[in-house]
Amino acid sequence: MNMIKFQSFSGTITMISDFATGQTGEGESCNKLIAVENNLRGVVNFVVTPTTYFVDHVMVQVGDRVTGYYDGNAPVPLIYPPQYRALVMVKESPYQNVKVDFFNSDLVSSDGQLKLNISPSTQIVLTNGQAFTGNPANRNLIVIYGPTTRSIPPQTTPFKIIVWC
């Protein structure tokens, strides 16, 4: 199994259009191309498919601030603006933070920037919304959380963990 190297790009949606992949059976309107521009005028086009996971299943529109997560190890066509297949899309919210990463056996993210302290109130689910009953360690996780401690690494008790199988 190839290891996903989650990378992200954040900005404001400037355009949403239908995107035809040319694969048979995939209709014109099942895939979207979402253009995102950041403060430095950098632009990324995210290819959004029916399997792209939208945190909280929100619908996005032009003007929304979002972060798109993609696999940094995946091949990318050499075009401008760069075009990535979005694995996870997050609409920014003032009330919650989201981190998408691989968390090790100590529940520390691969970039060392977040440690999870799971409490009985932490909801742990699969991307299809069903309960996850295994151990979330050593997996790719979508973590929805609030405040963090000022420790190194910062620690949080997440509201919700979505296990990316």
Side-chain angles (χ1 to χ4, degrees):
M1 182 180 131
N2 287 347
M3 196 128 137
I4 295 175
K5 181 176 188 266
F6 284 106
Q7 291 187 312
S8 66
F9 185 86
S10 299
T12 303
I13 296 176
T14 56
M15 186 194 69
I16 299 176
S17 57
D18 283 344
F19 180 71
T21 60
Q23 291 173 343
T24 38
E26 287 201 33
E28 249 324 287
S29 358
C30 288
N31 297 300
K32 299 281 182 204
L33 197 64
I34 297 183
V36 176
E37 183 176 320
N38 69 8
N39 301 341
L40 306 169
R41 314 233 17 97
V43 176
V44 161
N45 284 331
F46 283 110
V47 176
V48 173
T49 69
T51 59
T52 302
Y53 184 80
F54 280 77
V55 170
D56 296 331
H57 300 288
V58 294
M59 193 179 300
V60 297
Q61 58 194 18
V62 170
D64 286 345
R65 288 203 44 85
V66 297
T67 299
Y69 290 87
Y70 59 94
D71 184 352
N73 294 332
V76 177
L78 294 173
I79 54 176
Y80 183 84
Q83 186 173 293
Y84 302 114
R85 191 172 154 263
L87 300 174
V88 178
M89 292 292 286
V90 180
K91 182 177 169 181
E92 279 187 23
S93 156
Y95 311 109
Q96 65 184 27
N97 303 303
V98 177
K99 182 155 188 82
V100 181
D101 205 345
F102 178 84
F103 285 80
N104 68 16
S105 56
D106 295 325
L107 292 175
V108 174
S109 60
S110 71
D111 62 5
Q113 297 298 307
L114 190 65
K115 179 175 183 357
L116 307 180
N117 296 317
I118 295 174
S119 83
S121 67
T122 302
Q123 194 186 357
I124 306 177
V125 296
L126 296 162
T127 51
N128 63 9
Q130 302 309 298
F132 176 80
T133 51
N135 182 348
N138 293 312
R139 293 180 182 271
N140 293 317
L141 305 176
I142 302 165
V143 180
I144 301 169
Y145 63 100
T148 59
T149 63
R150 294 180 186 270
S151 59
I152 299 176
Q155 298 187 29
T156 190
T157 303
F159 307 135
K160 186 175 189 178
I161 294 172
I162 299 129
V163 178
W164 182 273
C165 289

